[in-house]
Amino acid sequence: MEEFVREFGELSNAEVQWLQNLYRFTGKNLISVALDSKITCKELSSYLFQCLCRICHHCSNPCCHQGNDGLILPLSYRFISLSELQSQQKTPCCSQLTWSTSRFKKWTLHKESFLVSHKALSRTNLLLCGILTDKISLSPSTSERAEQQSDGNLYLQDESGSILCEIIKLDLKWLGHLVLFPSWSYIPLSDAVWRPSGTEAGYLEITEAPFLVFPKLPVGSFWGPSTLNVLLPDSAVHLLDKGFHCHKVRLNIAGELSRLSSILSIRGKTFFFFFLSSFTTDTCLPIVVQVPVKLMWHCCLEVSKQYVITKVFASSLQGTNYKVFVVSSSSDLYIYNEGFVKERTLAEFMRASAMKETSKCELKAPASKEESFQNRSMDWSTQNTIEEVIESRESKICTYRGVISKVLNIGAGIYELDGKFGLCVAYQQVVNCGRGLRPGAQVEIHDAHLHLRASDHFPRIVLCCCLGSTLVVTEFSRLSTEYQPFSPSCNIYISLLFKYNLDLPSYLWVVHIVETFIQRFCPRFLTQQQMLMCGSDTGIIGTFFSSVLKYTGWNSAAKPTRDIYEEILAESHQCPLKEISHPYFQCQSLSLSELLSIAEERAWKSLDLSSLLPDTEVKHLIAQQLNSKLAWSFEVLKPEDFQPQMILSGVFQANSTTGCLQLLDTSGALDCVVQNSDEVNQIAFSDTSYIGCLVQLQKYQLVLERFIWSEFPSSKHLDDPRFVKEKHTRIYAQFCVGDLQVLKRRTASTRANIATLLIPALPNTLSTSGRTALRSSCSEACKNDEVNRITANQHKDGPSLPKMPRLKEVVLQEGHVGESKRTVCSHPLWTDREAVGFQSEQKQLEGRGIPTGYSTACRGKRKEKTSSVGCVTQLILVTHKDALMLRNCQYGRNEGCEHTNGSEEAFTKRAKTGLGLAFQASALSIGSPRQWKDEGKIEGLPELEADPSLCSEYKNRTQMQLDFLGKAVQWYHLISQGGLYRLIGPKQLDTSVFERHCSPSVPRKTLQSLSCPLFLVVQPDWKLQYISTLSCLLQSQLSSNQINVSAHLDKLASEIPHLSSIQEVLSSSFSASLVSFTGIILERVCYEPNRRANFAAFIADKNMQGISVPGDWGLKLTVGDIQNTAIVLHVYVDLMQLSYTLGVLPGAMVTFHDLERTTSRHNNVYCKYVPSSSISVLALPSLEAESLSTNTAISDLPLLYLGNLISGQENHLQGIVCCHVVNVRWLKLQWVCSRCSSIFKQGRCTRSSGPCLSAVGVFRANANVIVEDGTAEARVYCKDKQVADLLALSSTEWEGLQQHVGPWGKVYFQYQGRTGHELHEENTGDVLMQYLGTICTSTIVCRSIQLAFRFESRGKPKFGQTETFQLRTFTSGDHQYTTKMPPALSLTCLDIKEVDYRMLCHLAYDRLIQ
């Protein structure tokens, strides 16, 4: 070192130190890789110093210090090894040795407005030196380096390692030599992205030509030898005809480079094609390069430049009709120079090569270049408008030059050009992983396909590169933007693209769906690596699209297969991008927040309030009735109602705040009602194994329940929005569990398999198979059929290229999909503490340099480890479940709790602090608690395997009361009476864990009175595993060699409350006060219940919980028997204390448990929903039952006789009867106040007890008539529009009658018999009353009618009891007859029509037969 420094004479200390560092760097990093093994470190240091002097002598950089003796040293620069650069430099940087500061600042400026947000590269004073090679660098030894193969990439290598390089224009004379880079940029990989093989630490962008450290070493000339005999394409093209055989003949060809394909790497074979065209015609010669040492030609070739290729030979591609020229290992590439090239004719070449033409066809002269090339490719700048380019159904081939402004989706290979256009490289294999394609880079694209309006989610204009396109970087980016590698290796986007041979619109739709999935579920529920796991049939995305394609009827066989040789070599270009089409997949999968927003907008946009009211009653409703009918309505949407149709997807979860089942994503939550798929054993959905699974739905019902709190005075004001005080929407999905498709199960699934019950438990392989699928998914997705090799016909040097008709081999066998950072999205169900905690955890991890996806994956691994901790379980049978409602969660659980002692103030104070959603359940514990070593391997029923008599022995069954409060309410809709569950205490090994959590504050006497020795408070971290129901266990054929356990299960089933039928509940002999039954909801209306004043505390706390609905209404449900819907029962539900129950819609089959059976003063039986009650939805309403009500269509009602109703021969509660009106017993016409129902007279309310300011009156009409049909007599109650039909008044006459009643306010007519005094004595002389008396007794009213009615059960006499019959006297002429008659039936009119003569004929015929 001292000898090397002394050669420079007297130097300053800084100069000496700089030279010493140069010497150390040379000895440590360069001497071992030098070409000359005999060169010393001093000599190599001198060469390196002289190279620096040559660079600094002509540069303008003031950092290159010039001493007094003329010595130029860049003292501010230092040499750095490649390993140090990769390990120390974490941000993009650049080094410009030859540039001044002003030139660098000018270079960093950019005029593009779309790049303003990016910063320029930071400048660093570092020098790089090494061997520039195209060999894969595994070892620095020279012997091993000689055996290495080229892979199409460029490397810089020193003793410490190697790094990938990108050079815009490569000179082949640089390869294999020691070079010094004066200007370069280092682009590291971000920690948050996946690192493909070979790019672990970034790459170099070489912005200026390197300098050779040994400039006088002999190198090959790129300009060619003195003279070359060449064939031009017009002559050489005939050698590719089938009539010529020149397998062993080498030739030189010259031409202009017209096309250059990308480098393809398939099945270990790396190759590319390029085309040399004639100087005068459009003749092109296809040339393939597959020799590894010649692959770097791809970096040297430039479109439109002229070249000479030596020692090529013609060969056929096996399996195709194509012949190409093949570059041999001895071939060379030269720049075309007319002075050094001698053109030969085909005849001269054939004579010199002793070739013979075996074909007798004439050689045709090719067309001129201008004539045929104009349709081949066009420069975009020559077009007037984009629409002119896109007019035809085929995409146009064009050339474009622009700047990459953004990376839209690196995994899908989609970029943005110039801030307005799209660039897709997915159809073109990018072997270099997209190095250089950073925002700010200038690119040039040749032979790209131009597509317009390919997708609504991407730029309007998209340029797409196929295998025949050329994409080159003409200038590297000067911006400090990270490198995001693109690789088809193990890429789910590319896997789906090639598997289904997608066109561009369909591919962009796939990309949008995948992006939506990532935004919705990563990283909160899944890591991005899990989401993008490459498995076309096993991964999440692959499973989703496989089911979507089956649902939409996709036929992949109908699409033509993709052949790379047809795509690159065919004269008529064929590729998936050629035709302009629309996406085939006519479906969408929006985020849940977007879906809820669209549904809510649709719920109110299409709503007409008048459509919610019956036409016959709308004008006769008072305010309270009007607002109650408007208080609730619903609409059901199908997937097909969305355009395109909607597919639901989300993480299936139970909400720990409201207890509802939900689909979740990061944007929101959608409540769910799930129907069990078991139609034989109709039970509520209880399967807990779906919790935490990512699922999708293609068949479902989206229910929009609308709640309106309004104060409309009458129907005339429905268009005035001021009377609507509050609107609310409950949107949820209804579906059958059989339509639920699982895309990914949770990590530790404890799903019980009924096939293994009472059979020795098998090891759980779910998690193992999941891990196996994760490891092998890439290889399975990338597995291809047999690959045929393409070789030359009987020639050992022919091109051995793989045949890939469907291009599946592009997806390689290794690698992982990268992850990008995602911000935490707020969720309406997250508390502030949870959201802040999650964000702080994210920031903490990011501050440590750990990527988000990596941290989430690590947390998932930690969870898998902790899931193996043991647990304690208890087998239970649920016998009862209370209502989910607001309860005093503090009482009985904390000491020092005061009683209210009837004080309203104390009650309200405690209610505000202690109320919360909670419920209780009664259960039987079977056997003793059991230990499990691994929670994920809980399986079977080992509790009953050893001793099935545990089901029947009372000593092994313990009554227990389970208290669910707080987060434990999430299990409410998964618990069903009669279900067999396993209560799991995770991370526990002590079997007394359940006894420790029994509530000590509940008095023992209370528990003893309830025969319940255990009162267990369910902890938030405990779990429930649904096993089965006793009925399913009895029906399943578990094992033929097992003992018969039916007797034991029957005894256990006797503990479950019995379900009655509605007919039994209505029976007068029914004595139970609490009833359970199954029925069908026929009608649902709102009513206003009466409540105590201190219920205001419930209201306040309920609103805080977010479980209420606007208004102060209760529900009146009309429930029909499942065997005979004509048998109905009314159920009243007060919503004030209860959590709102979803799915209770007309047409739904539900089961009520423990309703309070009550008899009204009119002897009508009805039921009330009390705190001990519960409801479960068994079957969803059909789409046709959306408008179901008790008023079934009139035309569908049966034709009945009144006498059969009395005798009991007919059990119908609704029907049609043809009868005769005997007389009108009474008629009442009145105007009432719409607010208080007082008489409304002369335009004002007449209420005397306090003034009423209402100025709106409503006309009401009521009538009671006697009808008979020859078999019996009935009293029929009619109202409003039915009275007008009874009186046979037209709409004009009916309105005139209303106006005449207005001054009176109220008019009452009563039939007095045929004595001549038919009018009421108070109104005897009035003309109006005379009119009513006349019309009510006229034959216009007393006529035959067709009456649709509803039978009132309280009006039915008890047939067979003599005291119910009455003596009636009839007069016929001079004779009187006395007979016993049953009391008249009480009917409610539904509709009145004029009798049809055909119906009369039918009745007459029926009576004759009887």
Side-chain angles (χ1 to χ4, degrees), residues 676-677 685-691 693 695 737-738 740-742 744-757 761-767 932 934-941 980 982 984 1023-1028:
N676 204 328
S677 58
F685 172 77
S686 306
D687 197 345
T688 57
S689 65
Y690 287 97
I691 297 298
C693 298
V695 299
V737 68
L740 198 66
Q741 182 177 9
V742 178
K744 182 173 180 58
R745 288 202 172 272
R746 56 182 176 178
T747 304
S749 178
T750 56
R751 183 177 186 179
N753 186 1
I754 194 172
T756 62
L757 299 179
L762 299 176
N764 185 10
T765 59
L766 179 61
S767 59
W932 297 82
D934 190 350
E935 181 185 339
K937 295 183 179 180
I938 299 177
E939 200 172 58
L941 276 177
L980 194 63
R982 185 176 280 117
I984 303 174
K1023 303 176 183 177
L1024 282 176
Q1025 179 195 14
Y1026 173 74
I1027 298 175
S1028 180

Side-chain angles (χ1 to χ4, degrees), residues 284-492:
C284 282
L285 298 180
I287 305 171
V288 62
V289 180
Q290 63 169 350
V291 181
V293 295
K294 307 300 180 183
L295 293 177
M296 292 312 300
W297 287 10
H298 196 274
C299 299
C300 305
L301 296 172
E302 295 183 53
V303 177
S304 301
K305 292 297 181 67
Q306 298 174 354
Y307 297 98
V308 176
I309 314 296
T310 65
K311 298 180 181 179
V312 299
F313 60 90
S315 179
S316 299
L317 297 180
Q318 185 179 359
T320 69
N321 296 324
Y322 296 108
K323 290 182 67 177
V324 296
F325 287 105
V326 182
V327 172
S328 63
S329 57
S330 58
S331 298
D332 289 315
L333 171 67
Y334 301 108
I335 297 292
Y336 179 83
N337 191 334
E338 190 175 357
F340 299 96
V341 171
K342 181 180 180 181
E343 298 180 4
R344 275 189 176 186
T345 64
L346 181 60
E348 294 174 347
F349 173 75
M350 293 176 65
R351 286 194 298 270
S353 304
M355 290 179 54
K356 295 183 180 181
E357 180 185 0
T358 59
S359 176
K360 298 183 179 180
C361 60
E362 296 182 0
L363 301 180
K364 298 181 180 179
S368 63
K369 190 167 186 175
E370 293 77 7
E371 181 179 337
S372 57
F373 184 73
Q374 59 184 357
N375 295 324
R376 171 71 183 98
S377 178
M378 63 186 69
D379 194 317
W380 197 350
S381 60
T382 62
Q383 301 299 317
N384 296 328
T385 62
I386 299 302
E387 284 72 12
E388 293 180 4
V389 180
I390 269 326
E391 283 180 355
S392 65
R393 294 187 60 183
E394 291 188 359
S395 60
K396 296 299 181 181
I397 306 297
C398 65
T399 298
Y400 184 77
R401 291 168 291 277
V403 178
I404 295 179
S405 54
K406 188 186 299 183
V407 179
L408 297 180
N409 189 316
I410 189 61
I414 302 177
Y415 303 84
E416 183 185 72
L417 292 175
D418 296 332
K420 52 185 176 180
F421 305 132
L423 171 64
C424 178
V425 298
Y427 292 81
Q428 180 187 62
Q429 189 182 21
V430 183
V431 176
N432 70 340
C433 299
R435 291 187 295 273
L437 298 179
R438 299 186 298 118
Q442 296 185 14
V443 296
E444 185 173 309
I445 311 165
H446 296 273
D447 300 328
H449 293 265
L450 180 62
H451 283 257
L452 183 68
R453 295 184 294 271
S455 173
D456 296 334
H457 310 286
F458 292 92
R460 179 170 174 262
I461 302 169
V462 178
L463 291 172
C464 197
C465 298
C466 67
L467 295 179
S469 306
T470 305
L471 172 63
V472 294
V473 178
T474 58
E475 183 178 342
F476 291 120
S477 174
R478 60 195 70 177
L479 303 177
S480 181
T481 54
E482 64 180 10
Y483 166 47
Q484 301 182 48
F486 166 73
S487 174
S489 171
C490 209
N491 189 323
I492 185 61

Side-chain angles (χ1 to χ4, degrees), residues 133 135-141 143-150 157:
T133 177
K135 307 293 192 303
I136 301 176
S137 300
L138 301 175
S139 173
S141 71
S143 60
E144 291 187 10
R145 187 171 63 249
E147 297 177 0
Q148 295 165 10
Q149 296 292 325
S150 300
Q157 181 182 355

Side-chain angles (χ1 to χ4, degrees), residues 23 144 168 220 281 370 376 398 402 480 522 534 624 682 701 722 728 813 915 920 982 1122 1164 1172 1237 1269 1294 1347 1379:
Y23 187 90
E144 291 187 10
I168 292 178
T281 66
E370 293 77 7
R376 171 71 183 98
C398 65
S480 181
C522 299
C534 184
Q624 190 270 340
Q682 291 184 340
Q701 300 175 12
R722 295 177 301 172
H728 182 67
Q813 303 291 330
L915 287 182
Q920 294 180 355
R982 185 176 280 117
I1122 56 176
N1164 284 332
S1172 62
S1237 299
D1269 67 343
W1294 181 243
L1347 175 68
T1379 183

